[in-house]
Amino acid sequence: MAPSADELQRNRFYNENWSVAMESTFLGVLVQEITMGVAEPGYPNSYAIRVGTLEVNQTYGTFYYYNFFESKVRRLYERFLRFSKVLCLPGVFYNPITKELSADQFVWDTAMEVIVR
């Protein structure tokens, strides 16, 4: 049986060092910093990343440094930009319930070219 989209994403973006829960906690802190007016929407500032670093390290008992989290921010930002590009392609649809994109095979092949670039 082919792996689901969730399994493929977990295998590509998460491992024993970085989990979905850690990412959710980190993103929650970044959103909170924006909501409180400490950070601007868009790429987070170093203060917001430091607060997220402390929160994740305290919550999960990890000892990651700022550079580790800055690399996670870059990866999240790149994923967001790629997702936005693919979603704008004609014939690509997002199902918020299943959290999956769907498209005809030709459109999907074009979308994969956009993602790889």
Side-chain angles (χ1 to χ4, degrees), residues 11-87:
N11 292 338
R12 179 164 181 165
F13 298 116
Y14 309 108
N15 55 36
E16 63 278 354
N17 297 323
W18 187 248
S19 68
V20 174
M22 289 174 164
E23 186 171 279
S24 295
T25 301
F26 185 59
L27 286 172
V29 169
L30 298 180
V31 168
Q32 182 179 11
E33 294 297 308
I34 291 169
T35 304
M36 292 180 352
V38 177
E40 295 290 323
Y43 202 86
N45 61 24
S46 61
Y47 177 79
I49 295 172
R50 289 184 200 290
V51 173
T53 299
L54 289 172
E55 181 67 27
V56 171
N57 281 337
Q58 288 175 353
T59 302
Y60 298 97
T62 55
F63 299 98
Y64 298 131
Y65 293 104
Y66 176 88
N67 292 348
F68 175 82
F69 286 93
E70 189 176 43
S71 71
K72 293 301 178 186
V73 167
R74 278 194 304 275
R75 176 174 263 193
L76 288 167
Y77 190 69
E78 289 169 6
R79 282 169 50 194
F80 167 75
L81 292 177
R82 288 182 178 151
F83 180 78
S84 299
K85 284 182 182 179
V86 170
L87 195 55

